[in-house]
Amino acid sequence: MQDFHVTRAQALLEHAHEIVTPEQVQDAVRKVADVLNERFQAPGAGFPLVLGVMGGAVVFTGTLLPQLAFPLEFDYIHVSRYGDDDRGGQVVWKVIPRQNVAGRTIVVLDDILDEGETLAHVKQRLLDMGAAEVIIAVFADKDIGRSKPIVADITGLTLPNAFVVGFGMDVYGYWRNLPGLWSISPQDLTPMDAEPEYPIPDAKPS
């Protein structure tokens, strides 16, 4: 089974091409850090609660946090979307904020703003829980050619409407560990030849 996954993962990169270099990735993270530092280093800016959206944002969050030069509290959330992607499906919260969000300024960190349905739900849920302000900061915003139900407040870079992996983003559970971003060829986005024991795919083509 392990050989199956190694072979499958390697095959997915055979026709892929790098669209963002590791250096450009780091520049994008610094861009987000600079905006947040300018906001929260100002006198009276407050003590924000920073929430990383697992699991795609884990690499972005881990890279960004050491670059933030202001006092903050950190936690994470985990949400999944099931059903019809084009209509948003059902958003299920696997992990809700463990800290009290009422009256707080919340910074939500996510890897990519794709269709936007899940992040729109997350923002509204936090506001319904009493958050004073919710700031959405994403590593990347995908240009899907149509309007989205939410606009990120802070964006590191904009991506073309392609299936992209790397820096926390995956294809069928693979290649979150790539330091740059790679576009996967549509011809390779086909169903598995066999049902794997792991990983459970949590990303699929848009």
Side-chain angles (χ1 to χ4, degrees), residues 25-76:
V25 164
Q26 296 303 318
D27 288 344
V29 178
R30 280 192 292 272
K31 175 183 175 182
V32 175
D34 288 344
V35 175
L36 288 170
N37 283 330
E38 182 177 3
R39 163 70 188 273
F40 290 104
Q41 283 184 306
F47 179 57
L49 172 61
V50 177
L51 297 176
V53 180
M54 299 296 106
V58 64
V59 181
F60 172 48
T61 300
T63 305
L64 176 69
L65 283 177
Q67 300 185 41
L68 300 182
F70 52 86
L72 59 86
E73 188 172 15
F74 175 74
D75 202 349
Y76 69 94

Side-chain angles (χ1 to χ4, degrees), residues 1 47 50 66 74 79-80 100 112 171 177 184 202 204-206:
M1 186 58 67
F47 179 57
V50 177
F74 175 74
V79 296
S80 293
N100 184 14
I112 187 168
V171 54
N177 51 306
I184 302 296
D202 64 357
K204 51 188 173 181
S206 59

Side-chain angles (χ1 to χ4, degrees), residues 118-138:
T118 302
L119 271 179
H121 174 92
V122 167
K123 180 174 182 177
Q124 188 58 54
R125 173 72 179 272
L126 293 170
L127 290 171
D128 291 344
M129 293 171 66
E133 179 184 16
V134 178
I135 298 170
I136 303 295
V138 298

Side-chain angles (χ1 to χ4, degrees), residues 70-126:
F70 52 86
L72 59 86
E73 188 172 15
F74 175 74
D75 202 349
Y76 69 94
I77 56 177
H78 192 177
V79 296
S80 293
R81 183 154 51 95
Y82 300 96
D84 189 333
D85 288 347
D86 292 334
R87 293 177 174 82
Q90 179 184 5
V91 177
V92 177
W93 285 70
K94 296 182 177 181
V95 179
I96 64 174
R98 293 170 293 179
Q99 308 297 330
N100 184 14
V101 304
R104 303 284 300 275
T105 294
I106 313 297
V107 179
V108 176
L109 304 179
D110 207 357
D111 56 344
I112 187 168
L113 177 55
D114 199 329
E115 298 288 340
E117 298 286 350
T118 302
L119 271 179
H121 174 92
V122 167
K123 180 174 182 177
Q124 188 58 54
R125 173 72 179 272
L126 293 170

